[in-house]
Amino acid sequence: MTKTMNLYMSLSAENSIELLHAFMKLKPFNQKPPTQIYLDMYAELEGVPDWIERWVPTCTHGVTAFWGNFFEGGYVEGSLCFDRYYRDNTQVVKVIIDDYPCSVEAVLEMLSPLPWRLATFSNNINTDWLAPEINYRPPNFRDRHYAHGWGCAFKGAGHNHLVSRRWLEYGPWRLIRDEANDISLVQFHDLFVDAVTALEQAQPGHERMGVSDTGGFINSKFEYSTDIRGLYNSDNHQLTIVNTDRPVTQREMLDLCAARYQQILGPEQPIDSVSYVFLLGEQGYDYLHELWLREIECWAILKGVEVRLDTDYHPTPEIPDWVRRLQATEEART
């Protein structure tokens, strides 16, 4: 018997209404009209086939369509939710499908043709994370996404929220690529382990892929903690930080990546690249790996000569033991 899970997803897209319509073509949503509608946090309405056209464009807070008797405490096959933050129009689509195959590959196959950019898969496999004896509150992408659970994913332009695509290859997680659709699915833990083991596997990845000082994700409302200053070269649009003898934190690197992504200097000073120059040359090696992961150039003054260190740097990814076990199992099947 195939193991199933309650699949909880939050997805952001260029066009949320288009994404809702795409989900309406999939099971269980294409089998019949929704049973019930919840509008703007207070109105309970009967389900209708044209619920997206009727209520989504003009809602204030959001619309949720249920397939099943949610308000009567009955069985719910699934739900589609358009969640809007009324202050700044931040939008996310939240999807719940009950009894979905417990398979990363099945989820990827479903999502591949759909028009989304960022996705988070919540922790409803391991609800024990919320128990008092564990009390774990995962980080997330913010922007009204679910908290991180067993995975997250990027499609096309969604990858631009990362400090670099290199980040995907060198994290404490399992990476599954769909090259044809430019999708990167990050799995944080084995889906078939207990809650405590899953948390041990997932927590390092949550930190590196969440909104954190050591993370590699740039959310849309990024809050800077560093005063972005450096030498700007108008010829190659590079921002250079000259380091005399000062510790460089990963948070500072993240801020610089955000400045590059958000073009914080404005249209008059576009940032195509960022670099560090370490006057005490050997210090460059201390930061080389983390700078390389973020595609920040690393230069050092060695014997009076300015040398670029990151060009010939080719680290080997450290694959977690649980990922190696999953890979070995898959290889044995094939």
Side-chain angles (χ1 to χ4, degrees), residues 26-331:
L26 305 179
K27 292 182 179 180
F29 313 116
N30 64 354
Q31 303 299 295
K32 57 186 177 182
T35 310
Q36 297 161 303
I37 302 292
Y38 191 48
L39 173 63
D40 281 338
M41 301 168 54
Y42 61 88
E44 299 178 11
L45 308 170
E46 287 189 14
V48 292
D50 63 342
W51 65 278
I52 298 175
E53 295 85 351
R54 187 177 298 194
W55 290 304
V56 168
T58 58
C59 69
T60 302
H61 301 284
V63 182
T64 304
F66 295 96
W67 279 256
N69 297 314
F70 175 79
F71 298 116
E72 298 175 8
Y75 175 74
V76 177
E77 296 176 74
S79 67
L80 291 176
C81 171
F82 172 76
D83 186 358
R84 187 207 307 271
Y85 185 51
Y86 70 98
R87 293 186 182 275
D88 59 10
N89 200 36
T90 296
Q91 300 176 12
V92 69
V93 172
K94 295 178 177 177
V95 183
I96 299 175
I97 304 176
D98 199 14
D99 289 335
Y100 196 82
C102 195
S103 163
V104 174
E105 289 73 21
V107 174
L108 182 57
E109 182 178 359
M110 173 184 61
L111 292 181
S112 290
L114 305 187
W116 55 277
R117 290 183 174 179
L118 297 174
T120 294
F121 310 106
S122 188
N123 70 336
N124 281 71
I125 295 176
N126 290 292
T127 54
D128 288 346
W129 286 359
L130 303 177
E133 60 271 20
I134 298 178
N135 193 30
Y136 176 58
R137 299 294 188 273
N140 56 34
F141 287 159
R142 297 189 181 171
D143 293 334
R144 308 188 75 76
H145 274 276
Y146 285 133
H148 282 338
W150 62 262
C152 66
F154 307 85
K155 183 175 185 179
H159 290 88
N160 296 337
H161 285 275
L162 295 170
V163 292
S164 166
R165 288 203 182 211
R166 289 174 180 170
W167 199 258
L168 295 166
E169 298 281 354
Y170 292 85
W173 45 64
R174 178 191 180 206
L175 175 64
I176 303 100
R177 279 286 297 165
D178 174 355
E179 297 292 346
N181 295 285
D182 191 18
I183 296 175
S184 302
L185 192 151
V186 172
Q187 181 181 348
F188 292 125
H189 67 78
D190 187 339
L191 302 187
F192 295 94
V193 296
D194 62 86
V196 173
T197 303
L199 180 55
E200 292 174 352
Q201 295 173 356
Q203 199 163 6
H206 285 176
E207 181 71 17
R208 291 292 269 180
M209 196 56 85
V211 178
S212 71
D213 288 348
T214 59
F217 181 81
I218 304 167
N219 67 304
S220 63
K221 302 177 185 65
F222 188 84
E223 297 178 358
Y224 291 87
S225 63
T226 304
D227 186 9
I228 305 298
R229 292 183 180 182
L231 303 176
Y232 181 76
N233 187 327
S234 58
D235 292 333
N236 61 3
H237 301 162
Q238 185 173 77
L239 181 66
T240 298
I241 313 300
V242 178
N243 187 286
T244 53
D245 186 15
R246 177 180 61 83
V248 180
T249 65
Q250 292 189 50
R251 177 58 203 233
E252 180 179 323
M253 298 178 194
L254 176 61
D255 286 353
L256 287 167
C257 291
R260 181 180 59 193
Y261 169 55
Q262 297 182 336
Q263 294 296 311
I264 196 174
L265 298 184
E268 299 297 323
Q269 292 183 306
I271 303 173
D272 292 340
S273 61
V274 178
S275 69
Y276 275 87
V277 177
F278 293 91
L279 299 185
L280 297 181
E282 296 300 322
Q283 286 188 341
Y285 292 102
D286 296 336
Y287 302 105
L288 175 58
H289 182 71
E290 293 295 339
L291 291 172
W292 181 88
L293 280 179
R294 296 164 173 84
E295 291 194 44
I296 297 176
E297 295 181 13
C298 181
W299 296 76
I301 306 300
L302 300 173
K303 298 180 180 179
V305 179
E306 189 174 2
V307 179
R308 185 170 175 180
L309 304 181
D310 59 290
T311 306
D312 297 322
Y313 181 66
H314 304 290
T316 301
E318 296 183 6
I319 301 175
D321 290 340
W322 68 269
V323 175
R324 291 186 185 277
R325 289 193 295 270
L326 286 180
Q327 292 173 340
T329 301
E330 289 179 356
E331 291 174 1

Side-chain angles (χ1 to χ4, degrees), residues 14-35:
E14 183 177 1
N15 187 324
S16 297
I17 293 179
E18 181 185 4
L19 180 58
L20 284 170
H21 280 295
F23 272 110
M24 284 291 293
K25 297 176 182 179
L26 305 179
K27 292 182 179 180
F29 313 116
N30 64 354
Q31 303 299 295
K32 57 186 177 182
T35 310

